Every structure is written in structure tokens, then in C-alpha cells.
Amino acid sequence: MDGIVELQRQLVEYTTSLYDEGFLDDQFIQLQQLQDESNPDFVVEVVSLFFEDSQRLLNELANSLEQQSLDFRRVDAHVHQLKGSSSSIGAQRVQGACIMFRNYCEVQNVEGCLKCLQHVKNEYSLVKSKLETLFKLEQQVLAAGGTIPMP
Amino acid sequence: MGSLLKRISSRVSVFAKSWGKSAFTESRRTFHRDVEQEDIEYAGARCLSSYYTVFVARLAIMVMLAILIGMLTLLTWHFTRVYTKKSLSTLAYGLRYELLQRPILRMWNIFNSTVEITTAQVKLSEYVIRRYSKPVNQAQQVELYEVMRDVTWALFASRRALNSITINYRNGFVQAFHRDHRSNNTFYIYSDLANYSIGGSYAINSLSSHRGWNDQSVHNNMSAIWYREPLDPITGEKTGKSGPIPPDDLINIAGISQVPDGAASWHVAVSKYSDSPLLSAALPVWDSSRESIVAVVGVTTALYSVGQLMKELVGFHSGHIYLTSQEGWLLSTSTNTPLLMNSTTGPKLMMAVDSEDHVIRAGAQLLKKAYGNKFPANHEVHIENAMIRNKLYYIDSFFLNLKRLPMVGVIIIPRKYIMGKVDERAFKTLVALISAAVCILVIGCVCIFILTNGVSKEMKLRAELISHLDARRKAEASSNYKSQFLANMSHELRTPMAAVIGLLDILICDDFLTNEQYATVTQIRRCSTALLRLLNDILDLSKVESGKLVLEEAEFDLGGELEGLIDMFSVQCINHNVETILDLSDDMPKVLQGDSARVVQIFANLISNSIKFTTSGYIILRGWCENMNTPCTTSKPWSAPKTKLKRQGSNHKRSNKKDSNMILWFEVEDTGCGIDPSKWESVFESFEQADPSTTRLHGGTGLGLCIVRTLVNKMGGEIKVVKKNGPGTLMQLYLLLSAPVDRTGECCRLKFAEHDLTILLALNGGMCRLIMSRWLLKNGVQTFDVSEWNELTQILQELFQAGNYVQDAPIGGSQSESVSTNDTRASIFIIVIDIGLLDLRTDIWREQLSFLDSFCGRVKFAWILNHDTSKTIKMELRSKGHFLTVNRPLYNAKLIQIMEAVIQESNLELQKKMDSLRSSEVGGDMHEYLEIDPLHSDAESSNSYMSEMDSSRNIRALQTGQRQQEHLYYPYQSKHGAVGNCFVELTEVYAKENESSVNDPAQIMSNLHKKVKLEEHNLATSCSSEQGSLCSKMATNGQKSLEGLRILLAEDTPVLQRVATIMLEKMGATVVVVGDGLQAVDALQVMLTADESVEEFHLEDDNARIQSRTCDSPSFDLILMDCQMPKMDGYEATKVIRRSELGTSLHVPIVALTAHAMSSDEAKCLDVGMDAYLTKPIDCKLMVSTILLLTKRTT
């Protein structure tokens, strides 16, 4: 029982740290609220959707930016999409990076775009690992028979 | 050529510049100043270059003009001068020729006459000599000589120009007449006859005679004596004695030597007695047989007359003429200089080059230099512009080829004489032309300058315009950045705020909250709403600034709004030790027509401003009313401008018919640091703060008062700072609002006086107490006021121990209870006591409470709690039976509420007593009743603040309800007990309201339905009223609120797709997801084709719409449309859908989903035909309320 409590405490601390460090915002809470008996894996599902979508978008971004004649509108559309999906799951640091990226797109700054792409990638992988850890913790808690404390 | 032209033009321009600077300083100074000014003004701008182009063009035109005029001038001058000169020089040549010709003619005449005379003499001599060819004797000889003398005299006298005539006979005898022109004497010269043999051999033999006849014989005949006798020049009579003179002394006697070959000879001779050369001609006189020469006749003529003529000629023309022989000997000049040179051998002819007259000498030298000694024969020489002694002369020479005496005539005429006038004229003409040209040039330049000045001004203006446009474009760009920034910021800020509010809503819905927690949470909720509204207001500021703000026209309860506002601010103020007081006069209308949100915004800004600068003291919001329809009699601190009001009144004429315009006056007074009088006007400017240091101390943007003034002006009012006694600020404003006529009369004046109330105000805040007691007194309520505990105890003891003030009432009541309840309306004593009066730090407050308890029964207690009053105290109060509690701050409405409650309680008590008397039943459920008020006050203070006005209405409804259905009400209350749930209460109230007055919910709806954010409440109330059942929870109420709706979601991002789907499905909606706009359009097209069946359904039974939804028809109730999607974006898709809907009665509501939070995006969305607008990330509640609003509207 203590183990569960400890795990739960860990989870809560970890989650709080994610909020405090700005990886996630309240949109994520909304997501978690949407999860119920009818959709038991809703958060994981959405987040993995996000991972897939973001990976695709990042690849496309990298491809577009490598091309000789840069189509900034295309890049901008991709970034916009990424921004939308990241804001929807509450990954606000990725979202912030996307906003910066779009600014560079608007002024057609190739170097800035490349820098931003790197930045977005970093933020993305960070949030990905964080979220994966979070889910792992949740799994552990569930496996131990506890409930996931709602924020 | 080109470079040359360039150089010339540059020269000219340089010249023009320097000339322009130097010559025209006066007239051009202004221009120059202008130019300099412009240079300064527009330096660095592109107009400078345009200015230079204008300048260059102007200069070029000027230069061209200058060249043109210069050429014109030169040509004019040249032609006039050249032709004049040519004709003049032709004339001059003629003149010169003429001048020279005349002396030559004279010379010729002289020659001729000399020759004639000579010839005549010779002929006569021949005749006479032949007559006396053979002189036989002396007498004959003498006779011959006499005859000869007479003949010669005759000839001599006939020609006055003759100098002398000589006859030299073969025998050496000489006869001569001589005329001295200087002394005008005439002499007859003859040789002594005695020396000559009469029969002198006139040798026939010519040769021998020739030999014997030489000059020697004459000249060397020294022995011969010559006589001279003076003659009368006219008659030839002898006038004097003849005297001997040496031979050859006077005159040249032409001898045989001069006619060596017997032909006539010429030569120029000089004479001792004549200063001019003489022309002498000699002819031999032959004998009859023409074999020998018998005599030689010589005639000399002075050239003096030629010189005289020349002098005359030249004297008029001021020149010089001279004649020379071919060798250069000077024969005659026009000057008086001697022509002869005195040498040792006698006078000699002079060369022209040696002439004493310098002009002649120089001229001769010039000619000699040019042509040498040999004068070109038959050549005329013309030298023009010969420079002699720095003067120009014309020199012309003519050759006169006389036989034996070729002559050269030279005329030297100063150029000045002929050309002087011409040159002068030419010079004058030139000067005149040049000055005229210069004048024309200057005028032309000025004209050009003036003409082009307009052009350059226009160019300048254009440049200015361009720069202005540029600046404006920049400004617009920067304003775009600003709005972008605002959009981003609002987005970033609204997201967390939405979360906070949402979480609070969740918390409010929690069942396990205690009342206090609940109150706190609702307070937070209210503050958050205010904050969110503030954020929206910041976004609105741009609207306000651009004048796009439109005020709503809706009915609202001003009092309720302001009470809520004061409640909200009081929480802040308690920490500041500042009282917030609301003092609204009773004549304020309950319901007003206007934009409640903006009115509240005005006061929120003003009060928050006051709070910011007030550290201790109080803040009062006063309000009173002045009906426009009734003439105002009360004196105002500053008179409202009547004209403006009238204008406003005319604007409101439409509404005037059923509404009455009111001028609502408000004052916000505080005891803060105050505003310096010099800043009273400027504090209302944007970004203006009275003291720059306030930003440091208190923060703030300085926008608040600006917004306030804009809004006040928009509402037809004015605001200004008014002088105040004591420290602090007093802001006074009036608003022009209209109140519905049917409501204004309703302004109920409470008749507390009837109830004989006495109120003891035991309050900390002095100002609040003062205002309250004043108000109560005005309403006929007796008041006491105390400010601290000791005072309270003292006054209580005084009142109850000494006077038995209240005890009378129950006693009296009990005594007369059976008589009549109405008549025994006892005087009610209420103590309104601030919890702060108790000493809460220690446990003394319990003792104090128990002290107060001793008065329980005789007095009614109403407690004023702080929002942070601890639960133990509240519990204790409740356990002691003090149920009448209100939260700070106290204002009229709360006091009314307290009083009404007390009055009703006492009424009830009386009734119960009567009942108990009747049925001997003790009313034990009094507590239940008393709990109503705490619950209400809780509900009122804790409910979100728009519903504040509902609560006041609740009270009214309660009142009416209580009056009508007391019996129904109480059992219900007792059922629920003390566990307070505001929503239960509220919905109960609404249910009641529905029963009591049917209009009220509709009114609430109309008040609220514009505020999407408050839609939840609307939802709750409408739901409850619709269903007619009690909804226990708002959340549960909303959870399945989308039941049965079919929603099409067009969203390309899978994550969002999923999230939105789950959200909607949780609410009970059926969601169809498509990936882009094209699919959305397709999906809808299917719906449209299949729609006819649905239409039929509708026609069949209108009520069956829910059933028709749930059946499998592919119709959608609503579309959620992402704006940015691949293939076809949301805007395009909406346009297509709306176009396809044309002609049908359908209108599928479309809600935009966008990541931008700008109002411009919203405008764009609404522009293409969307119905509403949601920002990402999706706020669940907002989405639900929006969807509900739209689906309800369309169905």
C-alpha cells in the first residue's frame, strides 16, 4: 500500500514538475479530464497520435527546408499544423517554438527556420520522453493497483 | 563638341550662379533662404534629389535662355555694325579719294596753267623776237626788250598764282617778273643792258650756240649787274627805284641748261624767299627758222596754293595730306610745318620721312617700311587701322603719274573722324544690347524661377505626400505588429485564464465544499471573470480607439451591478485597511437601459484606480439620479451642459417615447494621495499618470482613466476631477441613461418607519457607519452608532438596564397579543455588529458573545462577517443562534435585506405566538427560517457576479413568494436543512419565480443571452425552467447537453480531431470527422440531397425534431470548421457551403476553430458566413455553450 502511495506521490510530483517547467499546460489537464471509462486510454491515444503526426510533420519540414527553392508557405502550413496539434495536447514549449518558427517563416529567414526546426525537434523529443516517462509511471501505478490521482 | 558644350554650359551655370549671388542679392536672398530652409527640412529625404533635379532643370533652362539671348544680341550687334561699317568705309574711301583728288586736281591745274603760261610766253616771245629778229641797233634791241617786258607783264599779271616769269636771252640778258607772296610785292628784275652786245651773236649754229649758251654764262657772269624794281602789282607801274641785286639771288632764272634738248622741262625748285617748293617749267624760244634757241622762258609757280587747299580740306576733316615726288621729296603738306630744310647750301627739299609733323613722318615711315623707297607705280595703297601714336589712322596713297614729275599723294585721316561716331554708336549699341539682354535674361530667369517654383513646390508636396504615405504605411505596419502582439498576448493570457475559470467551475460543482470554501471559490471565480473581462477590455481598447465600439442597449440592474462590484473590491480593500462604501440614493431606478458591462467597467476602473492610491481611509461610490423629464431643482456641483443633454435627448427621441432619460450622477471619492490640480485634465489621456513614479509604486498602464473617459463620453456623459476637502481625489461623472418608463414608477420606497425600527450600528468603519446611519435616518429609522466594543457594551447597558427600551415590546406584545397583531407592532431593536468589533485574537470573543447573548431575545443581531472570518467563529455564532449574517461590505441593499428579514421574523414570531396561543404549540422551527438569510446572503455574495442582480430579484421574488405561499415555502426549507447549496436554492427560486411571475425568466434571458461566457447560467436556468425539474448540478446539466446533436468536425490535425471528438462525444453529441474542407463540403452535400426526407419529417411533426435527429439521416446540426486545412481551408469551405445553401431555407451553423485570437480573424470568419468563432485550444465549456446557442437559435 505504501508502495502505491509512494508511486502516486512520485507521479504527482513528476506531473507537477512537468507543469512547473512548462512542458505541459492546462490543455493536458483537459485531456485527462476527457478520459473516462468509455475511453480508458484516451490520453495515451491522443498523445501517440500527436507523436505520429509530429514525427511526420518534422520529417516533412526537414525535407522542405533542404530543398533549393524554399516554399515558405508550405513550411508555414506545416508549422501551423504542428502548432495546432501541440497546443491541443498542451505541449506548450513545442507550441512556443512553433510560434517562433512561424515568425521566421514570415520574414523568410532560412537560417532562422533551420535553427527553429532544430529547436522544435529538441522540444519535441524532450516532451516526448517526458510524456513517455509519465505514461510509464501511470502504468506502474495502475499495475500496482492504485488509481491515478487527478490534478 | 559635346564636351565643349558641357564645359560651356557649366561655365555659364557657374557664371549664372555667381552672378545670381552677387548681382541679384536682394531679390534672390529670399529664394536662397527658402532653398536653405528646404535643404534643412528635407535633407536626407528623397525629395532632396528631386529638388536637385528641379534645380538642374531650372538652371538648364536659364542657361539656354542666356545662350539664346546672347546669340541674338551678338548677331544684332554684328549685323548692324558690319553693315554700317562697310557702308561707312565705302563712303570714307570715297571721301578720302575725293580729298586727295582735289589737291591733285589743283596741282594739275597749276601745272596746266604753268604750262599754258609758259607756252603762251614762248609763243609771244617767238613772235616778238621774230619781229625784231635782226636788231640792228641798240634802240631796236631795247625796243625788243621793252615789248618783251610788256608782253611778259601782261601774262604775269594775268596769273596771280605765278611766282615768276623769266626770260633768259641768248645774249645773257635776263628779264624777270617776280611776285613775293609773303610780302605781296611784285618786282621786275632785269640785268644791266650795258654788259650785253647788241649784236650779240644769236648763233645760228645751234651747236656752237648751244655750247656757248650755258648756265655758266648766266650764273658765272658775275660781272652782270641785276636790277630789281618794285612794281605795282596791279598796274605794273614802277613804284620804286630799282636797285641792284646780286644775280640769282632772288629767283631761279631758267637757263638753256634746263632745256637741253629743246623740249619743255619741269622741275621742282626751291627758293630762298619762298618757304614752299616751287614748280618751275622751262621752254625754249626758237627762232623763226627753228634752228636755234633764242631765249628760254621759265615760269615758276608756288605750290603754296596746293598746300593751302590741302589745309582747307583737311582742316575740316582733321587729317593730313601730303604730296611727295616719286623719290619721296615732300612737295606739299596740309600742315604749316616747313617743307624746306635749311642747309649750308641753301634751302633744300625735305623728305617726307623727315617732316617735322609727326603724323606725316610716322605715316611716311609706315609707308616706307611697307613698300620701301620704291612706290608701286600705278598702285593705290590703302592702309586701314594704321597705328600711329596709339591712334588709328586711315592711310591712303595715290600715285599721280605726271610726265617728268610723278607724284604721290598721301592722305592720313584719323579713324576716329570717320568711324569715331560709328564706333561710339557701336559701343553704345553694344552696351545697350548687352544691358537689354541682361535685363531680359534676368527677367526670363526670374520668370522661369517663378514658373518652375510652382512645379517644384508641387514636387515637394508630392514628395511630402509620398513620405507621409510611407510613414502611414509604416505606422500601419507597426500597428499591425501591435495588434499581432495583442492577439498573441491575449491568446497566451486567455488560455490559462480559461483554465482557471474552468477549474473553478469544476470546484464549485464539487459537493464537498463547505460554505466558506464555496464562498471563497466563488469569490475567486468572480475575480477571474473580472480578470478575463479585463483582458478582453484590453483587446477592446483598440476598438475603442478606432471608434468601433458599439454600446449595447439592454436592461440591467445598476444597483445590483454596483453592489457586486463593491463586493468584489471590498475583498481587495480589507487587506488595505480601506473601507469601500456604496452610497446609492433611493431614487435610483432599479432597471436601466444601457450597456451594463461598460458601466461596470467604468466603475471598476475608477474604483481600482482609487484602491491603488489609497492606503487607508475609505472609498465611496455615490450615486444619485436626476430625471431629465423633470426640471432639476437641486444644485449641482457642476452644471451639466444643457445643450449637450438636449442633443443627446434628441438622439434618444426614439426611445424617449417609452423610456425616460435619466442623468445619473456618480462620485468616486477616496482618501488617497490625490491628484495635483494641474493634472486633472491630463490624467484622462492615455498612458498618462499623475506622477511618473506611480508606475514604480503602484504599477498600471495609465490606460484605465482613458478608457473610462471614452466610455463616459460614449454614454453621453462627462467625467472630471473635482476639488475635494481633505486629502484624496473626488471624481465626478454623469451618465445619460434611459430607464423604461414602466419601471421607474416602481421605485419602491420602503416604509421602515411604519415598523418602528431602531438600529444600532456597531461598525468599525466610521465613514460607512456615518453614511448608513444617515440613510437610515432619512428613511425614518432610529439609529445609534458605536465604533468599538466598550462603547457597545456601554450603550447596551444604558439602553436596556436604564430604559427598558425593548423589553417593553415583547412584554407589551405578549400582553396585547390576543388583541391584534397589527396594532402591537413592537419596536424592533437591531444590532448590526461587525465581527471586527470582537477581539478575535484571543478567546475573549467568546465571552463577548455570551455577553451579547444576554440581550438575545430583546434585540436582533445581524453580523457582518469578513470574507476571511474563520469557520470556528461562524460555527460559534450559529450555535449561539445568530443566523443573520452578511458579508462585508455593508450597503443599503444588505441593510434592507436585514431589516426585512427581521421584520418578517418578528411578524412570524407574532403570528407564531398567536398560533401557539391558539394551538399551544411552541414554534420550534424558527431556526429553520432564520437560516434562509444566511443562505441568501451567501448565495448573493458568492454567486458569480452577473447573477447578483438575479439574487436581488430573488429576494423580491422571495418576498412575494413568502407573502403568497408562506406555507409552501417553509416545509420545503426545513426539508433541505442547513446544508446550503446555492444552486439548489437558485433553481428553487427560479421555480418559484416561474410560478409567481412568468415574465421574469424571459427577462433574465434577455439580459444574459448576449454574454456567451455567462451562457452556463442561462443554460442552467433555462434548462431547469424548461424541464421544470430541479437540476442538482450545473455540470451534470451541461454534461449531456449536446445529446442528440450531430456535429461535423472538419479538422486536419489528428490530435485535435481526437480531442474535439472525445469532448463532443462526452457531451452526448454524435461526431463525424473529416480531414479537410473538401470532405466537409462533400459530407454536407450528401446531407443536402438527403435532406428532403428530413424536411418531410419536420413537416409531419415539429415536435419530433429530436427524433428526426436521432434517426439515421445524415443531417448535421453544426459544423466545427478548422480555418487552416489542406486542400480547402475553412474559409473557402464555408463559402462553398453557404453558396450551396442559397435558395434553400437551410442554414447549417458553422463554428470556426482557429489558432489566432484576433478580432480581425473573427471578422474574417463571420465575413465568409460562419456563425461563431472558437479559439484553439478548445475550451470545452465555451464550445458547448456556443454550440447550444447556435443549435437553439436555428431550431
Side-chain angles (χ1 to χ4, degrees), chain B residues 581 583 620 766-776:
Chain B
I581 303 153
D583 180 16
I620 306 177
M767 203 63 200
C768 180
R769 203 172 59 232
L770 192 69
I771 285 168
M772 284 298 125
S773 60
R774 202 182 289 159
W775 178 75
L776 285 169

Side-chain angles (χ1 to χ4, degrees), chain B residues 56 239 287 333 576 734 1127 1163:
Chain B
V56 166
T239 52
D287 60 355
T333 68
H576 277 93
Y734 69 86
K1127 289 182 189 163

Side-chain angles (χ1 to χ4, degrees), chain B residues 1151-1189:
Chain B
V1151 177
L1153 286 176
T1154 166
H1156 300 287
M1158 276 300 290
S1159 52
S1160 61
D1161 287 317
E1162 189 174 352
K1164 193 179 173 188
C1165 289
L1166 299 181
D1167 214 38
V1168 296
M1170 294 182 180
D1171 298 279
Y1173 163 92
L1174 288 172
T1175 53
K1176 288 184 198 173
I1178 300 163
D1179 180 74
C1180 191
K1181 290 193 177 58
L1182 197 60
M1183 180 173 75
V1184 170
S1185 57
T1186 310
I1187 291 172
L1188 273 176
L1189 191 72

Side-chain angles (χ1 to χ4, degrees), chain B residues 826-897:
Chain B
S827 70
I828 303 164
F829 198 96
I830 307 170
I831 299 175
V832 179
I833 181 165
D834 196 336
I835 198 79
L837 245 63
L838 304 180
D839 193 348
L840 298 173
R841 282 164 300 185
T842 57
D843 270 351
I844 298 171
W845 62 274
R846 291 181 191 276
E847 289 167 29
Q848 286 172 330
L849 260 187
S850 49
F851 168 77
L852 288 176
D853 266 348
S854 62
F855 297 96
C856 198
R858 283 175 290 183
V859 296
K860 309 283 179 211
F861 287 99
W863 289 91
I864 297 169
L865 302 180
N866 282 341
H867 70 288
D868 55 350
T869 306
S870 73
K871 199 175 172 181
T872 47
I873 296 172
K874 285 182 183 171
M875 293 298 283
E876 187 70 26
L877 281 176
R878 204 162 289 169
S879 69
K880 296 269 183 189
H882 299 290
F883 294 101
L884 200 58
T885 54
V886 290
N887 266 8
R888 248 176 167 348
L890 188 65
Y891 41 77
N892 301 357
K894 281 182 182 172
L895 214 52
I896 290 170
Q897 194 187 324

Side-chain angles (χ1 to χ4, degrees), chain B residues 811-829:
Chain B
I811 294 165
S814 60
Q815 278 168 353
S816 61
E817 60 194 1
S818 55
V819 186
S820 161
T821 40
N822 288 340
D823 290 338
T824 58
R825 215 172 36 222
S827 70
I828 303 164
F829 198 96

